[in-house]
Amino acid sequence: MERDRLLTAALVLLLSLVITFGACAADIRPLAADPDEIDLSSGRFRLTVKDADRIPDGGFFTTGLYLEDRYSPAEIEALAPGDTVLVNGRIWTVQDVVLHEGGSVIEIYTEEENDGYIVFRREENSYLCVVDDWSPVSAVGEVRIMLPLPDAFEYYCDEERTVRDGKAFLSDLEKYGDAFTAYNTGCVFESGALISVTHADYPEGPSPEAVPVWQFCHGLRDGLETAVIRGYEIDCEAGPGEIVLTPEEIEEIRSIALSGVITGKANDLSVTGGTWSYSFETPEGVHLLSIELYKGWIVSADGMYTYSK
């Protein structure tokens, strides 16, 4: 009898805790693409272009191929305040969820400052994320395109969807190659041949500078929440010397890595000392990221950059 009373009391306490604090917040990520299911020779992709300067003399250009990030319907439809969502390399904390178009479009308001919008739109068996009119993408590979293009190649590049030929496409590539981004350009491959490209001037996608700090510093995102952080003061003569970090300093640096976003280039300054470097490693010793700071800026090879959290 006593055992039953204790068990009942424990269950009541557990239920009270669940009601008081709620269920554990979800951590939602884009669905991982299966490399075995991606055929770069056939399919629809988002497109960037490299080596456009080789078109006249080299007879080729290189396409960077991307797929739009997709999310699980079960996870997106269960979004609730307190959940976190990884969007374009940055973690956002859900503050509120608003349904549009009968629930097929789900908008989130975030605890972090955000001047734009983030919505998830249902498309067949997944949700597509849209951020300020553009959709985040992930690279899946590169394909070199040898010229000439197939006779059946089609190029769509205006609001009227006028069909143009490969000559017009190559001419635009040579003139405006940087304008062809994965956010405004799509393509179709069939049996290894590039058969069509669709391009629009809008949207341009995210600002080249508005990238997460961890990505800007060429690090890995997964594992940063539990990474071991060590700090070093860089002296131009003595080199790096390890410094003792307080728990508060460690969490401040972790916050910069997890939530910080590069906002612009401050200057072209280059220094050989007087900086502070922070190393992130897994508990097993795998290096994830290094961040170097100088007077409140993030140090890069070409100068100093500002950031916000």
Side-chain angles (χ1 to χ4, degrees), residues 38-248:
I38 298 175
D39 181 3
L40 298 182
S41 67
S42 296
R44 296 180 178 273
F45 302 92
R46 308 305 296 175
L47 174 77
T48 60
V49 175
K50 298 195 305 184
D51 304 327
D53 59 332
R54 299 300 301 274
I55 292 174
D57 58 350
F60 73 87
F61 62 91
T62 303
T63 59
L65 301 183
Y66 301 75
L67 291 176
E68 294 165 322
D69 289 347
R70 302 282 174 167
Y71 293 78
S72 161
E75 292 182 328
I76 295 301
E77 290 167 5
L79 276 171
D83 291 347
T84 55
V85 188
L86 180 64
V87 175
N88 198 46
R90 182 177 180 185
I91 293 289
W92 298 93
T93 306
V94 178
Q95 185 177 64
D96 197 9
V97 179
V98 179
L99 304 183
H100 302 281
E101 299 180 20
S104 62
V105 175
I106 299 176
E107 182 176 7
I108 62 170
Y109 292 88
T110 63
E111 294 182 5
E112 298 80 10
E113 184 177 350
N114 181 16
D115 294 332
Y117 69 85
I118 300 174
V119 302
F120 298 89
R121 178 177 293 117
R122 182 68 184 255
E123 293 191 359
E124 297 182 351
N125 298 321
S126 64
Y127 273 86
L128 176 70
C129 182
V130 181
V131 182
D132 302 338
D133 296 347
W134 53 270
S135 292
V137 298
S138 295
V140 293
E142 291 187 350
V143 174
R144 175 172 289 189
I145 307 299
M146 304 305 298
L147 301 178
L149 293 168
D151 292 338
F153 176 85
E154 295 179 334
Y155 175 41
Y156 305 88
C157 64
D158 55 34
E159 294 182 358
E160 289 73 30
R161 306 281 289 177
T162 306
V163 181
R164 302 173 68 191
D165 59 15
K167 183 178 180 179
F169 172 62
L170 295 177
S171 175
D172 280 358
L173 276 190
E174 291 184 68
K175 296 177 183 176
Y176 318 110
D178 292 342
F180 288 75
T181 76
Y183 307 100
N184 61 24
T185 309
C187 67
V188 178
F189 279 83
E190 284 187 4
S191 302
L194 179 64
I195 64 167
S196 74
V197 168
T198 301
H199 171 72
D201 292 332
Y202 182 85
E204 297 179 355
S207 165
E209 295 175 336
V211 299
V213 166
W214 66 265
Q215 188 175 7
F216 180 81
C217 295
H218 309 289
L220 300 176
R221 170 63 181 75
D222 288 344
L224 293 181
E225 292 92 343
T226 57
V228 177
I229 302 175
R230 293 183 173 87
Y232 302 87
E233 184 175 2
I234 311 299
D235 185 276
C236 59
E237 296 181 358
E242 188 166 1
I243 57 178
V244 177
L245 300 174
T246 66
E248 292 76 17

